[in-house]
Amino acid sequence: MSKFNPARNLAVTVLTAVMQRGAYANIALDAALRETPLTSVDTVLATTIVYGSLQHWLTLDWQLAPFLHGKKVEPWVHTLLLTALYQMTALDRVPDRAVLFDSTEIAKKRGNPGLAKLITGVLRHVQRQGLRDPQTISDPAERLSIGESLPRWLVDQFTAIYGAEKTAAIARSVNTLPRPTLRVNTPAFTVAQVQAMLQDEGIATTASTVSPVGLVAEGGHLAATAAFKAGAFTIQDESSMLVAPTLTVQPGDTVLDACAAPGGKTTHLASYGAQVTALDIHAHKVRLIEQNAARLHLSDRIHAEALDARQAAAHFGMAKFNKVLVDAPCSGLGLLRRKPEIRYTKKADDIARLPQIQGAILDAVAPTVTPGGALVYSTCTMLPAENGDVVAAFLTRHPEFKQVAVPLPPQLTATATVPALQLTPDDMGSDGFYIAKLVKQG
């Protein structure tokens, strides 16, 4: 019996779960890799196919359409064809013959000889005829949507906010590979110490240009290192590392992290010597906060509990915390590079409901802030409806708060900086992020 590379079959399984059932790519891929252990080379191949196919899904689908002639195929067959096209067009070191052979064998195993014949016929036709070029599309917005695999509604929204040129830069940026980044657990460890520890484990790093406590790794499984297990660092995006410093936390401060899981910002806040109360609505996510706190040796400074942040005032009472962070639930559109499936699973209607939730959380935590205390509102998105508009509406309802400028690190390039900070993925190669700081009048 002919054998095919299990990495390709695994990628089809994961992608079908993501695109048909709404699974998260990272979780589905991790689970599949645990169930079907692969060699390190094949793990890289499977991961590349999954994330590369997701990044270019609309482009690949548009290129495939003429070869199917309107024929409806099962979702896994459609996925198998798209992954084959991705490998044939994007992976220079993967020979077409290997892609054709494995795709045909996978079709035989998962389906029948008739499907295998269909797969072979389509891919051979692609080889003979070649693929269409998205640059031939006359409408500029549609050309960008298909060419960079960004749904048309997102192209239209970003263009209305940022203009066509900036939207094109964002679209290109989110189709690059995400960089493995980490935050050093200072002051327990120094940046230089962690660099040396990782170097000893064969992982080279460079200093982050976004955060002074960040490092960018050239590769490697960071969570499997001895340095990670020792609590020397946590895995966190560079943009996210800017949130905690905005609160200017001092030793002895009482801090509320209202939407805390999995605890990256919570532990960053605690690293300044503050006592942090961390909330999440789900008990299993509270356990994640506690596990991260324990690994980073910060359990004595962090109290995590399951609570809907919209109940904060009723639960804690008035003027309880002098620093509050609301890293609000949001559309996550700033994470398009790291979580490419978001662009297909999120809809405009979903996002329209979020500002009400975000505003309700801000309203609930406002009474818990002491006079003279600070409230930071942050999201990992790029839409004013979830960011500046939410803050503006909150300030109208709560005139006791005043917005102040977010300090901009000197090395940082940002899309907007007055008074809030707005990063988009093309600014520094990190996640899109929004940070606003509000001070309660005394």
Side-chain angles (χ1 to χ4, degrees):
M1 178 182 287
S2 299
K3 286 189 175 182
F4 52 79
N5 188 323
R8 294 188 170 95
N9 189 48
L10 184 147
V12 171
T13 299
V14 170
L15 285 166
T16 303
V18 171
M19 296 304 292
Q20 293 299 313
R21 299 195 296 276
Y24 294 109
N26 60 333
I27 295 174
L29 179 59
D30 287 345
L33 289 172
R34 285 195 299 271
E35 293 173 8
T36 309
L38 302 178
T39 66
S40 59
V41 172
D42 283 344
T43 296
V44 170
L45 177 60
T47 302
T48 300
I49 294 171
V50 167
Y51 283 101
S53 297
L54 280 174
Q55 283 184 331
H56 301 286
W57 194 271
L58 293 184
T59 312
L60 295 166
D61 194 33
W62 178 79
Q63 290 171 330
L64 175 64
F67 299 98
L68 287 179
H69 305 293
K71 182 181 293 185
K72 296 290 185 182
V73 296
E74 291 185 64
W76 72 264
V77 176
H78 181 250
T79 298
L80 177 59
L81 284 166
L82 293 192
T83 59
L85 284 190
Y86 171 71
Q87 293 170 80
M88 292 167 67
T89 56
L91 303 185
D92 295 338
R93 296 184 180 180
V94 175
D96 283 2
R97 64 178 182 279
V99 177
L100 264 72
F101 176 82
D102 280 358
S103 299
T104 302
E105 293 300 312
I106 290 169
K108 286 179 186 176
K109 181 175 177 61
R110 298 176 73 127
N112 54 59
L115 282 176
K117 185 176 180 181
L118 169 69
I119 297 292
T120 303
V122 168
L123 297 181
R124 290 292 186 196
H125 196 182
V126 168
Q127 283 186 314
R128 290 192 301 270
Q129 184 172 312
L131 295 169
R132 298 185 287 176
D133 183 357
Q135 294 306 308
T136 60
I137 299 172
S138 58
D139 178 66
E142 188 68 12
R143 183 166 63 244
L144 180 63
S145 173
I146 296 300
E148 299 296 343
S149 196
L150 194 65
R152 178 62 185 266
W153 73 270
L154 274 177
V155 170
D156 292 342
Q157 283 223 9
F158 288 155
T159 301
I161 297 163
Y162 297 110
E165 185 176 345
K166 177 71 172 178
T167 298
I170 291 171
R172 289 192 297 268
S173 176
V174 298
N175 284 336
T176 60
L177 289 175
R179 302 180 298 185
T181 56
L182 60 96
R183 176 178 58 80
V184 174
N185 184 21
T186 57
F189 297 83
T190 68
V191 172
Q193 278 180 313
V194 174
Q195 279 195 290
M197 293 167 74
L198 289 173
Q199 187 66 55
D200 288 344
E201 297 191 60
I203 296 177
T205 58
T206 56
S208 167
T209 57
V210 178
S211 168
V213 295
L215 290 171
V216 180
E218 294 181 9
H221 188 189
L222 292 171
T225 62
F228 178 83
K229 294 170 185 174
F233 66 87
T234 192
I235 298 168
Q236 191 172 347
D237 184 76
E238 294 167 282
S239 296
S240 176
M241 298 177 206
L242 298 174
V243 175
T246 304
L247 267 175
T248 56
V249 172
Q250 304 297 321
D253 279 349
T254 55
V255 182
L256 175 65
D257 188 352
C259 311
K265 300 177 191 70
T266 307
T267 53
H268 198 176
L269 291 165
S271 73
Y272 294 108
Q275 291 295 319
V276 184
T277 299
L279 309 180
D280 193 89
I281 194 170
H282 301 292
H284 71 279
K285 291 189 175 181
V286 170
R287 288 192 291 274
L288 288 178
I289 300 169
E290 292 171 337
Q291 289 165 6
N292 277 321
R295 186 179 57 79
L296 296 170
H297 315 293
L298 292 167
S299 294
D300 59 328
R301 299 181 195 167
I302 295 171
H303 167 70
E305 60 181 288
L307 183 73
D308 186 332
R310 289 170 289 189
Q311 304 301 318
H315 184 73
F316 294 111
M318 306 285 283
K320 174 75 172 180
F321 306 98
N322 65 334
K323 304 286 172 68
V324 173
L325 169 62
V326 174
D327 186 51
C330 69
S331 63
L333 291 173
L335 311 178
L336 288 173
R337 181 190 293 110
R338 199 173 302 279
K339 297 181 177 180
E341 70 272 21
I342 288 175
R343 65 185 86 183
Y344 315 117
T345 56
K346 297 289 183 183
K347 306 298 180 189
D349 290 345
D350 301 331
I351 294 169
R353 291 189 288 268
L354 287 167
Q356 183 178 355
I357 297 170
Q358 294 156 345
I361 293 172
L362 284 172
D363 289 342
V365 303
T368 72
V369 183
T370 59
L375 167 60
V376 163
Y377 175 78
S378 64
T379 70
C380 52
T381 188
M382 301 174 280
L383 300 179
E386 299 181 77
N387 295 333
D389 294 354
V390 170
V391 171
F394 171 80
L395 291 172
T396 299
R397 296 191 302 271
H398 296 271
E400 71 274 21
F401 281 88
K402 179 183 178 182
Q403 186 169 9
V404 297
V406 173
L408 182 70
Q411 74 280 10
L412 199 66
T413 299
T415 292
T417 58
V418 181
L421 173 67
Q422 176 69 72
L423 284 171
T424 56
D426 58 308
D427 286 332
M428 300 295 294
S430 55
D431 289 344
F433 233 90
Y434 174 86
I435 308 172
K437 186 173 184 179
L438 314 172
V439 175
K440 194 171 192 177
Q441 301 306 292

